[in-house]
Amino acid sequence: MICEFLLNTGSTIEEGRLAKGGSKLTEEYTLECAVCEINLHDYLRLGSPEKVLVSTKDAKYSVAVYAYPGDSVEPGHIFMPRAIWSNVVVDSETFSTGSPLYKGSPVHVEATEEEVLSAEEIVLKVYMRGRR
């Protein structure tokens, strides 16, 4: 089942600690940032998946991340830490502001068995391939 959500991203305390501490290539950073928090009702509707594939509306870009239910996310929304995984699917339109839409980007989410890639693997797969 593929569901449409609004993606909200933001810094978390642990994401900031790891990023500022030079730990972006560690497993700890991947476990902290390659995640998607989903409202409990929506999480159950998706089948309580261990991992989800988050995709842009046009399905041009997607990223597999670990999924978990959370009370702080409203139905129809998901939260991902602002890191390389969420950057793959954040809408790049800036509406002439110079800053992408880090809040409220429409995305599709579905359960997946795909491997969650490390930050280094994401760079090699997505960005070195010539993302525009």
Side-chain angles (χ1 to χ4, degrees), residues 38-55:
I38 306 169
N39 173 275
L40 177 60
H41 174 74
D42 291 333
Y43 180 76
L44 294 173
R45 188 167 47 115
L46 286 167
S48 305
E50 177 186 339
K51 297 179 283 187
V52 291
L53 187 68
V54 181
S55 305

Side-chain angles (χ1 to χ4, degrees), residues 5-117:
F5 291 93
L6 293 178
L7 168 63
N8 294 298
T9 67
S11 297
T12 66
I13 291 172
E14 283 302 300
E15 174 270 327
R17 180 186 69 81
L18 292 163
K20 303 292 188 249
S23 299
K24 286 186 175 183
L25 299 180
T26 65
E27 183 178 354
E28 185 179 12
Y29 188 73
T30 299
L31 293 174
E32 177 64 30
C33 297
V35 297
C36 178
E37 183 179 356
I38 306 169
N39 173 275
L40 177 60
H41 174 74
D42 291 333
Y43 180 76
L44 294 173
R45 188 167 47 115
L46 286 167
S48 305
E50 177 186 339
K51 297 179 283 187
V52 291
L53 187 68
V54 181
S55 305
T56 55
K57 274 188 77 168
D58 64 4
K60 190 172 181 181
Y61 300 103
S62 62
V63 65
V65 293
Y66 298 106
Y68 67 94
D71 317 359
S72 65
V73 181
E74 292 294 319
H77 292 250
I78 61 171
F79 175 82
M80 293 174 68
R82 194 161 60 198
I84 195 163
W85 295 269
S86 61
N87 283 344
V88 171
V89 292
V90 163
D91 189 345
S92 60
E93 175 60 57
T94 67
F95 304 100
S96 300
T97 66
S99 183
L101 192 61
Y102 289 114
K103 306 281 191 257
S105 288
V107 293
H108 292 135
V109 177
E110 62 185 303
T112 190
E113 293 298 319
E114 282 192 31
E115 179 185 357
V116 175
L117 302 178

